[in-house]
PDB file of all heavy atoms in Angstrom:
ATOM      1  N   ARG B 286       1.381   0.784  11.337  1.00 88.00           N
ATOM      2  CA  ARG B 286       0.010   0.423  11.555  1.00 88.00           C
ATOM      3  C   ARG B 286      -0.444  -0.673  10.584  1.00 88.00           C
ATOM      4  O   ARG B 286       0.296  -0.988   9.675  1.00 88.00           O
ATOM      5  CB  ARG B 286      -0.903   1.640  11.356  1.00 88.00           C
ATOM      6  CG  ARG B 286      -0.932   2.163   9.909  1.00 88.00           C
ATOM      7  CD  ARG B 286      -1.841   3.399   9.806  1.00 88.00           C
ATOM      8  NE  ARG B 286      -2.008   3.883   8.427  1.00 88.00           N
ATOM      9  CZ  ARG B 286      -2.919   3.456   7.556  1.00 88.00           C
ATOM     10  NH1 ARG B 286      -3.764   2.511   7.913  1.00 88.00           N
ATOM     11  NH2 ARG B 286      -2.992   3.960   6.368  1.00 88.00           N
ATOM     12  N   GLU B 287      -1.616  -1.225  10.836  1.00 86.00           N
ATOM     13  CA  GLU B 287      -2.201  -2.243   9.981  1.00 86.00           C
ATOM     14  C   GLU B 287      -2.989  -1.482   8.830  1.00 86.00           C
ATOM     15  O   GLU B 287      -3.637  -0.427   9.049  1.00 86.00           O
ATOM     16  CB  GLU B 287      -3.132  -3.109  10.687  1.00 86.00           C
ATOM     17  CG  GLU B 287      -2.484  -4.007  11.718  1.00 86.00           C
ATOM     18  CD  GLU B 287      -3.430  -4.954  12.359  1.00 86.00           C
ATOM     19  OE1 GLU B 287      -4.644  -4.943  12.023  1.00 86.00           O
ATOM     20  OE2 GLU B 287      -2.979  -5.736  13.254  1.00 86.00           O
ATOM     21  N   TYR B 288      -2.938  -2.080   7.634  1.00 85.00           N
ATOM     22  CA  TYR B 288      -3.595  -1.459   6.532  1.00 85.00           C
ATOM     23  C   TYR B 288      -4.806  -2.335   6.171  1.00 85.00           C
ATOM     24  O   TYR B 288      -4.772  -3.550   6.050  1.00 85.00           O
ATOM     25  CB  TYR B 288      -2.631  -1.410   5.288  1.00 85.00           C
ATOM     26  CG  TYR B 288      -1.635  -0.290   5.449  1.00 85.00           C
ATOM     27  CD1 TYR B 288      -0.471  -0.491   6.251  1.00 85.00           C
ATOM     28  CD2 TYR B 288      -1.766   0.912   4.780  1.00 85.00           C
ATOM     29  CE1 TYR B 288       0.451   0.496   6.334  1.00 85.00           C
ATOM     30  CE2 TYR B 288      -0.827   1.907   4.933  1.00 85.00           C
ATOM     31  CZ  TYR B 288       0.319   1.734   5.700  1.00 85.00           C
ATOM     32  OH  TYR B 288       1.225   2.692   5.793  1.00 85.00           O
ATOM     33  N   SER B 289      -5.961  -1.665   5.950  1.00 82.00           N
ATOM     34  CA  SER B 289      -7.199  -2.325   5.663  1.00 82.00           C
ATOM     35  C   SER B 289      -7.298  -2.584   4.155  1.00 82.00           C
ATOM     36  O   SER B 289      -6.457  -2.111   3.322  1.00 82.00           O
ATOM     37  CB  SER B 289      -8.420  -1.515   6.076  1.00 82.00           C
ATOM     38  OG  SER B 289      -8.491  -0.286   5.308  1.00 82.00           O
ATOM     39  N   TYR B 290      -8.349  -3.329   3.752  1.00 78.00           N
ATOM     40  CA  TYR B 290      -8.561  -3.586   2.333  1.00 78.00           C
ATOM     41  C   TYR B 290      -8.655  -2.308   1.540  1.00 78.00           C
ATOM     42  O   TYR B 290      -8.057  -2.112   0.518  1.00 78.00           O
ATOM     43  CB  TYR B 290      -9.835  -4.449   2.174  1.00 78.00           C
ATOM     44  CG  TYR B 290     -10.330  -4.565   0.743  1.00 78.00           C
ATOM     45  CD1 TYR B 290      -9.721  -5.453  -0.111  1.00 78.00           C
ATOM     46  CD2 TYR B 290     -11.349  -3.775   0.285  1.00 78.00           C
ATOM     47  CE1 TYR B 290     -10.194  -5.585  -1.435  1.00 78.00           C
ATOM     48  CE2 TYR B 290     -11.773  -3.890  -1.042  1.00 78.00           C
ATOM     49  CZ  TYR B 290     -11.187  -4.769  -1.872  1.00 78.00           C
ATOM     50  OH  TYR B 290     -11.636  -4.865  -3.150  1.00 78.00           O
ATOM     51  N   SER B 291      -9.499  -1.331   2.062  1.00 82.00           N
ATOM     52  CA  SER B 291      -9.691  -0.061   1.358  1.00 82.00           C
ATOM     53  C   SER B 291      -8.365   0.719   1.286  1.00 82.00           C
ATOM     54  O   SER B 291      -8.099   1.408   0.345  1.00 82.00           O
ATOM     55  CB  SER B 291     -10.753   0.776   2.062  1.00 82.00           C
ATOM     56  OG  SER B 291     -10.461   1.022   3.404  1.00 82.00           O
ATOM     57  N   ASP B 292      -7.510   0.590   2.379  1.00 87.00           N
ATOM     58  CA  ASP B 292      -6.224   1.256   2.343  1.00 87.00           C
ATOM     59  C   ASP B 292      -5.364   0.728   1.189  1.00 87.00           C
ATOM     60  O   ASP B 292      -4.741   1.507   0.425  1.00 87.00           O
ATOM     61  CB  ASP B 292      -5.487   1.057   3.636  1.00 87.00           C
ATOM     62  CG  ASP B 292      -6.114   1.769   4.850  1.00 87.00           C
ATOM     63  OD1 ASP B 292      -6.684   2.833   4.599  1.00 87.00           O
ATOM     64  OD2 ASP B 292      -5.970   1.253   5.974  1.00 87.00           O
ATOM     65  N   ILE B 293      -5.313  -0.558   1.085  1.00 85.00           N
ATOM     66  CA  ILE B 293      -4.544  -1.188   0.043  1.00 85.00           C
ATOM     67  C   ILE B 293      -5.028  -0.815  -1.343  1.00 85.00           C
ATOM     68  O   ILE B 293      -4.223  -0.527  -2.262  1.00 85.00           O
ATOM     69  CB  ILE B 293      -4.517  -2.756   0.210  1.00 85.00           C
ATOM     70  CG1 ILE B 293      -3.944  -3.158   1.527  1.00 85.00           C
ATOM     71  CG2 ILE B 293      -3.740  -3.395  -0.933  1.00 85.00           C
ATOM     72  CD1 ILE B 293      -2.562  -2.720   1.747  1.00 85.00           C
ATOM     73  N   VAL B 294      -6.363  -0.810  -1.546  1.00 83.00           N
ATOM     74  CA  VAL B 294      -6.893  -0.400  -2.818  1.00 83.00           C
ATOM     75  C   VAL B 294      -6.505   1.053  -3.142  1.00 83.00           C
ATOM     76  O   VAL B 294      -6.105   1.351  -4.246  1.00 83.00           O
ATOM     77  CB  VAL B 294      -8.471  -0.516  -2.780  1.00 83.00           C
ATOM     78  CG1 VAL B 294      -9.059   0.104  -4.055  1.00 83.00           C
ATOM     79  CG2 VAL B 294      -8.859  -1.992  -2.704  1.00 83.00           C
ATOM     80  N   ALA B 295      -6.573   1.918  -2.145  1.00 88.00           N
ATOM     81  CA  ALA B 295      -6.203   3.366  -2.306  1.00 88.00           C
ATOM     82  C   ALA B 295      -4.754   3.485  -2.694  1.00 88.00           C
ATOM     83  O   ALA B 295      -4.405   4.260  -3.557  1.00 88.00           O
ATOM     84  CB  ALA B 295      -6.501   4.157  -1.043  1.00 88.00           C
ATOM     85  N   ILE B 296      -3.912   2.684  -2.062  1.00 89.00           N
ATOM     86  CA  ILE B 296      -2.450   2.759  -2.352  1.00 89.00           C
ATOM     87  C   ILE B 296      -2.224   2.304  -3.761  1.00 89.00           C
ATOM     88  O   ILE B 296      -1.376   2.888  -4.538  1.00 89.00           O
ATOM     89  CB  ILE B 296      -1.660   1.843  -1.369  1.00 89.00           C
ATOM     90  CG1 ILE B 296      -1.742   2.493   0.031  1.00 89.00           C
ATOM     91  CG2 ILE B 296      -0.212   1.709  -1.785  1.00 89.00           C
ATOM     92  CD1 ILE B 296      -1.139   1.546   1.127  1.00 89.00           C
ATOM     93  N   SER B 297      -2.886   1.206  -4.178  1.00 84.00           N
ATOM     94  CA  SER B 297      -2.697   0.658  -5.518  1.00 84.00           C
ATOM     95  C   SER B 297      -3.121   1.674  -6.603  1.00 84.00           C
ATOM     96  O   SER B 297      -2.561   1.537  -7.733  1.00 84.00           O
ATOM     97  CB  SER B 297      -3.460  -0.655  -5.680  1.00 84.00           C
ATOM     98  OG  SER B 297      -4.863  -0.375  -5.689  1.00 84.00           O
ATOM     99  N   GLU B 298      -3.976   2.566  -6.271  1.00 86.00           N
ATOM    100  CA  GLU B 298      -4.482   3.559  -7.240  1.00 86.00           C
ATOM    101  C   GLU B 298      -3.489   4.732  -7.334  1.00 86.00           C
ATOM    102  O   GLU B 298      -3.643   5.582  -8.256  1.00 86.00           O
ATOM    103  CB  GLU B 298      -5.875   3.997  -6.894  1.00 86.00           C
ATOM    104  CG  GLU B 298      -6.907   2.918  -7.027  1.00 86.00           C
ATOM    105  CD  GLU B 298      -8.277   3.285  -6.574  1.00 86.00           C
ATOM    106  OE1 GLU B 298      -8.387   4.325  -5.886  1.00 86.00           O
ATOM    107  OE2 GLU B 298      -9.266   2.526  -6.841  1.00 86.00           O
ATOM    108  N   LYS B 299      -2.525   4.836  -6.418  1.00 89.00           N
ATOM    109  CA  LYS B 299      -1.573   5.937  -6.494  1.00 89.00           C
ATOM    110  C   LYS B 299      -0.526   5.601  -7.502  1.00 89.00           C
ATOM    111  O   LYS B 299      -0.130   4.453  -7.748  1.00 89.00           O
ATOM    112  CB  LYS B 299      -0.919   6.111  -5.072  1.00 89.00           C
ATOM    113  CG  LYS B 299      -1.766   6.755  -4.068  1.00 89.00           C
ATOM    114  CD  LYS B 299      -0.919   6.939  -2.782  1.00 89.00           C
ATOM    115  CE  LYS B 299      -1.683   7.638  -1.676  1.00 89.00           C
ATOM    116  NZ  LYS B 299      -0.826   7.913  -0.512  1.00 89.00           N
ATOM    117  N   ALA B 300       0.042   6.681  -8.086  1.00 90.00           N
ATOM    118  CA  ALA B 300       1.232   6.461  -8.971  1.00 90.00           C
ATOM    119  C   ALA B 300       2.394   6.039  -8.076  1.00 90.00           C
ATOM    120  O   ALA B 300       2.448   6.450  -6.902  1.00 90.00           O
ATOM    121  CB  ALA B 300       1.579   7.775  -9.664  1.00 90.00           C
ATOM    122  N   VAL B 301       3.280   5.229  -8.594  1.00 88.00           N
ATOM    123  CA  VAL B 301       4.371   4.652  -7.808  1.00 88.00           C
ATOM    124  C   VAL B 301       5.181   5.746  -7.097  1.00 88.00           C
ATOM    125  O   VAL B 301       5.499   5.607  -5.911  1.00 88.00           O
ATOM    126  CB  VAL B 301       5.309   3.786  -8.676  1.00 88.00           C
ATOM    127  CG1 VAL B 301       6.514   3.342  -7.862  1.00 88.00           C
ATOM    128  CG2 VAL B 301       4.495   2.556  -9.163  1.00 88.00           C
ATOM    129  N   PRO B 302       5.533   6.827  -7.759  1.00 89.00           N
ATOM    130  CA  PRO B 302       6.347   7.867  -7.078  1.00 89.00           C
ATOM    131  C   PRO B 302       5.662   8.555  -5.927  1.00 89.00           C
ATOM    132  O   PRO B 302       6.302   9.145  -5.068  1.00 89.00           O
ATOM    133  CB  PRO B 302       6.670   8.871  -8.204  1.00 89.00           C
ATOM    134  CG  PRO B 302       6.439   8.176  -9.489  1.00 89.00           C
ATOM    135  CD  PRO B 302       5.345   7.176  -9.180  1.00 89.00           C
ATOM    136  N   GLU B 303       4.296   8.419  -5.866  1.00 93.00           N
ATOM    137  CA  GLU B 303       3.528   9.099  -4.819  1.00 93.00           C
ATOM    138  C   GLU B 303       3.412   8.199  -3.589  1.00 93.00           C
ATOM    139  O   GLU B 303       2.922   8.655  -2.498  1.00 93.00           O
ATOM    140  CB  GLU B 303       2.110   9.468  -5.313  1.00 93.00           C
ATOM    141  CG  GLU B 303       2.167  10.450  -6.464  1.00 93.00           C
ATOM    142  CD  GLU B 303       0.775  10.757  -7.009  1.00 93.00           C
ATOM    143  OE1 GLU B 303      -0.199  10.096  -6.561  1.00 93.00           O
ATOM    144  OE2 GLU B 303       0.638  11.526  -7.958  1.00 93.00           O
ATOM    145  N   ARG B 304       3.772   6.929  -3.665  1.00 92.00           N
ATOM    146  CA  ARG B 304       3.661   6.021  -2.541  1.00 92.00           C
ATOM    147  C   ARG B 304       4.856   6.157  -1.598  1.00 92.00           C
ATOM    148  O   ARG B 304       5.956   6.351  -2.004  1.00 92.00           O
ATOM    149  CB  ARG B 304       3.586   4.551  -3.056  1.00 92.00           C
ATOM    150  CG  ARG B 304       2.454   4.245  -3.912  1.00 92.00           C
ATOM    151  CD  ARG B 304       2.594   2.823  -4.514  1.00 92.00           C
ATOM    152  NE  ARG B 304       1.563   2.618  -5.520  1.00 92.00           N
ATOM    153  CZ  ARG B 304       1.688   1.664  -6.463  1.00 92.00           C
ATOM    154  NH1 ARG B 304       2.744   0.857  -6.473  1.00 92.00           N
ATOM    155  NH2 ARG B 304       0.740   1.462  -7.415  1.00 92.00           N
ATOM    156  N   THR B 305       4.532   6.134  -0.291  1.00 93.00           N
ATOM    157  CA  THR B 305       5.659   6.133   0.690  1.00 93.00           C
ATOM    158  C   THR B 305       6.284   4.729   0.696  1.00 93.00           C
ATOM    159  O   THR B 305       5.668   3.757   0.205  1.00 93.00           O
ATOM    160  CB  THR B 305       5.121   6.471   2.093  1.00 93.00           C
ATOM    161  OG1 THR B 305       4.261   5.421   2.554  1.00 93.00           O
ATOM    162  CG2 THR B 305       4.334   7.829   2.080  1.00 93.00           C
ATOM    163  N   TYR B 306       7.398   4.667   1.349  1.00 92.00           N
ATOM    164  CA  TYR B 306       8.119   3.328   1.439  1.00 92.00           C
ATOM    165  C   TYR B 306       7.222   2.313   2.215  1.00 92.00           C
ATOM    166  O   TYR B 306       7.049   1.210   1.771  1.00 92.00           O
ATOM    167  CB  TYR B 306       9.421   3.557   2.181  1.00 92.00           C
ATOM    168  CG  TYR B 306      10.253   2.335   2.336  1.00 92.00           C
ATOM    169  CD1 TYR B 306      10.732   1.613   1.236  1.00 92.00           C
ATOM    170  CD2 TYR B 306      10.581   1.831   3.623  1.00 92.00           C
ATOM    171  CE1 TYR B 306      11.556   0.562   1.382  1.00 92.00           C
ATOM    172  CE2 TYR B 306      11.378   0.674   3.749  1.00 92.00           C
ATOM    173  CZ  TYR B 306      11.876   0.031   2.646  1.00 92.00           C
ATOM    174  OH  TYR B 306      12.641  -1.080   2.761  1.00 92.00           O
ATOM    175  N   GLU B 307       6.601   2.816   3.308  1.00 92.00           N
ATOM    176  CA  GLU B 307       5.744   1.872   4.096  1.00 92.00           C
ATOM    177  C   GLU B 307       4.516   1.502   3.283  1.00 92.00           C
ATOM    178  O   GLU B 307       4.063   0.368   3.320  1.00 92.00           O
ATOM    179  CB  GLU B 307       5.311   2.576   5.368  1.00 92.00           C
ATOM    180  CG  GLU B 307       6.445   2.692   6.373  1.00 92.00           C
ATOM    181  CD  GLU B 307       5.984   2.618   7.843  1.00 92.00           C
ATOM    182  OE1 GLU B 307       4.732   2.516   8.002  1.00 92.00           O
ATOM    183  OE2 GLU B 307       6.871   2.600   8.756  1.00 92.00           O
ATOM    184  N   GLU B 308       3.949   2.422   2.490  1.00 91.00           N
ATOM    185  CA  GLU B 308       2.777   2.081   1.655  1.00 91.00           C
ATOM    186  C   GLU B 308       3.166   1.033   0.596  1.00 91.00           C
ATOM    187  O   GLU B 308       2.366   0.105   0.305  1.00 91.00           O
ATOM    188  CB  GLU B 308       2.256   3.333   0.949  1.00 91.00           C
ATOM    189  CG  GLU B 308       1.487   4.264   1.882  1.00 91.00           C
ATOM    190  CD  GLU B 308       1.029   5.492   1.213  1.00 91.00           C
ATOM    191  OE1 GLU B 308       1.590   5.895   0.176  1.00 91.00           O
ATOM    192  OE2 GLU B 308       0.041   6.136   1.690  1.00 91.00           O
ATOM    193  N   GLN B 309       4.373   1.123   0.020  1.00 91.00           N
ATOM    194  CA  GLN B 309       4.790   0.128  -0.935  1.00 91.00           C
ATOM    195  C   GLN B 309       5.014  -1.203  -0.326  1.00 91.00           C
ATOM    196  O   GLN B 309       4.665  -2.223  -0.890  1.00 91.00           O
ATOM    197  CB  GLN B 309       6.136   0.635  -1.600  1.00 91.00           C
ATOM    198  CG  GLN B 309       6.471  -0.175  -2.839  1.00 91.00           C
ATOM    199  CD  GLN B 309       5.429  -0.017  -3.957  1.00 91.00           C
ATOM    200  OE1 GLN B 309       5.199   1.096  -4.420  1.00 91.00           O
ATOM    201  NE2 GLN B 309       4.831  -1.124  -4.428  1.00 91.00           N
ATOM    202  N   ILE B 310       5.496  -1.228   0.931  1.00 92.00           N
ATOM    203  CA  ILE B 310       5.659  -2.505   1.637  1.00 92.00           C
ATOM    204  C   ILE B 310       4.228  -3.099   1.881  1.00 92.00           C
ATOM    205  O   ILE B 310       4.065  -4.309   1.668  1.00 92.00           O
ATOM    206  CB  ILE B 310       6.365  -2.281   2.998  1.00 92.00           C
ATOM    207  CG1 ILE B 310       7.828  -1.910   2.740  1.00 92.00           C
ATOM    208  CG2 ILE B 310       6.323  -3.530   3.878  1.00 92.00           C
ATOM    209  CD1 ILE B 310       8.575  -1.516   4.052  1.00 92.00           C
ATOM    210  N   ALA B 311       3.304  -2.247   2.343  1.00 90.00           N
ATOM    211  CA  ALA B 311       1.979  -2.747   2.610  1.00 90.00           C
ATOM    212  C   ALA B 311       1.356  -3.387   1.345  1.00 90.00           C
ATOM    213  O   ALA B 311       0.693  -4.365   1.405  1.00 90.00           O
ATOM    214  CB  ALA B 311       1.124  -1.632   3.160  1.00 90.00           C
ATOM    215  N   LEU B 312       1.585  -2.714   0.218  1.00 88.00           N
ATOM    216  CA  LEU B 312       0.964  -3.200  -1.028  1.00 88.00           C
ATOM    217  C   LEU B 312       1.639  -4.459  -1.479  1.00 88.00           C
ATOM    218  O   LEU B 312       0.986  -5.432  -1.894  1.00 88.00           O
ATOM    219  CB  LEU B 312       1.153  -2.071  -2.118  1.00 88.00           C
ATOM    220  CG  LEU B 312       0.602  -2.437  -3.484  1.00 88.00           C
ATOM    221  CD1 LEU B 312      -0.921  -2.587  -3.406  1.00 88.00           C
ATOM    222  CD2 LEU B 312       0.926  -1.278  -4.477  1.00 88.00           C
ATOM    223  N   ASN B 313       3.003  -4.508  -1.397  1.00 86.00           N
ATOM    224  CA  ASN B 313       3.753  -5.669  -1.967  1.00 86.00           C
ATOM    225  C   ASN B 313       3.583  -6.919  -1.114  1.00 86.00           C
ATOM    226  O   ASN B 313       3.691  -8.068  -1.650  1.00 86.00           O
ATOM    227  CB  ASN B 313       5.189  -5.340  -2.089  1.00 86.00           C
ATOM    228  CG  ASN B 313       5.518  -4.570  -3.349  1.00 86.00           C
ATOM    229  OD1 ASN B 313       4.768  -3.641  -3.673  1.00 86.00           O
ATOM    230  ND2 ASN B 313       6.551  -4.907  -4.067  1.00 86.00           N
ATOM    231  N   PHE B 314       3.396  -6.764   0.221  1.00 86.00           N
ATOM    232  CA  PHE B 314       3.432  -7.961   1.080  1.00 86.00           C
ATOM    233  C   PHE B 314       2.066  -8.315   1.730  1.00 86.00           C
ATOM    234  O   PHE B 314       2.017  -8.972   2.699  1.00 86.00           O
ATOM    235  CB  PHE B 314       4.494  -7.751   2.168  1.00 86.00           C
ATOM    236  CG  PHE B 314       5.879  -7.630   1.661  1.00 86.00           C
ATOM    237  CD1 PHE B 314       6.493  -6.419   1.486  1.00 86.00           C
ATOM    238  CD2 PHE B 314       6.587  -8.757   1.265  1.00 86.00           C
ATOM    239  CE1 PHE B 314       7.805  -6.287   0.976  1.00 86.00           C
ATOM    240  CE2 PHE B 314       7.891  -8.695   0.730  1.00 86.00           C
ATOM    241  CZ  PHE B 314       8.467  -7.448   0.585  1.00 86.00           C
ATOM    242  N   SER B 315       0.992  -7.755   1.129  1.00 80.00           N
ATOM    243  CA  SER B 315      -0.313  -7.942   1.738  1.00 80.00           C
ATOM    244  C   SER B 315      -1.141  -9.023   0.957  1.00 80.00           C
ATOM    245  O   SER B 315      -2.359  -9.084   1.208  1.00 80.00           O
ATOM    246  CB  SER B 315      -1.150  -6.658   1.795  1.00 80.00           C
ATOM    247  OG  SER B 315      -0.549  -5.736   2.683  1.00 80.00           O
ATOM    248  N   HIS B 316      -0.486  -9.792   0.100  1.00 71.00           N
ATOM    249  CA  HIS B 316      -1.301 -10.697  -0.729  1.00 71.00           C
ATOM    250  C   HIS B 316      -2.100 -11.704   0.056  1.00 71.00           C
ATOM    251  O   HIS B 316      -3.277 -11.876  -0.171  1.00 71.00           O
ATOM    252  CB  HIS B 316      -0.334 -11.442  -1.689  1.00 71.00           C
ATOM    253  CG  HIS B 316       0.421 -10.490  -2.582  1.00 71.00           C
ATOM    254  ND1 HIS B 316      -0.186  -9.653  -3.472  1.00 71.00           N
ATOM    255  CD2 HIS B 316       1.753 -10.361  -2.732  1.00 71.00           C
ATOM    256  CE1 HIS B 316       0.734  -9.021  -4.117  1.00 71.00           C
ATOM    257  NE2 HIS B 316       1.894  -9.394  -3.720  1.00 71.00           N
ATOM    258  N   SER B 317      -1.499 -12.347   1.081  1.00 65.00           N
ATOM    259  CA  SER B 317      -2.252 -13.289   1.843  1.00 65.00           C
ATOM    260  C   SER B 317      -3.311 -12.645   2.644  1.00 65.00           C
ATOM    261  O   SER B 317      -4.446 -13.164   2.776  1.00 65.00           O
ATOM    262  CB  SER B 317      -1.297 -14.105   2.776  1.00 65.00           C
ATOM    263  OG  SER B 317      -0.641 -13.172   3.727  1.00 65.00           O
TER     264      SER B 317
END
């Protein structure tokens, strides 16, 4: 799915071990 601004913010606030693989992808590749 597509991740919104608030989704990315929420993911960034999680500890790294708590992020799913897809969440980490969303966080790492959503800069633009």
Side-chain angles (χ1 to χ4, degrees):
R286 66 181 183 86
E287 293 184 0
Y288 286 79
S289 67
Y290 170 79
S291 58
D292 291 331
I293 299 300
V294 171
I296 293 170
S297 69
E298 292 174 347
K299 288 185 177 181
V301 174
E303 296 176 359
R304 299 171 189 162
T305 67
Y306 182 63
E307 288 210 358
E308 286 178 337
Q309 193 63 57
I310 292 173
L312 181 63
N313 279 45
F314 296 101
S315 291
H316 300 301
S317 60

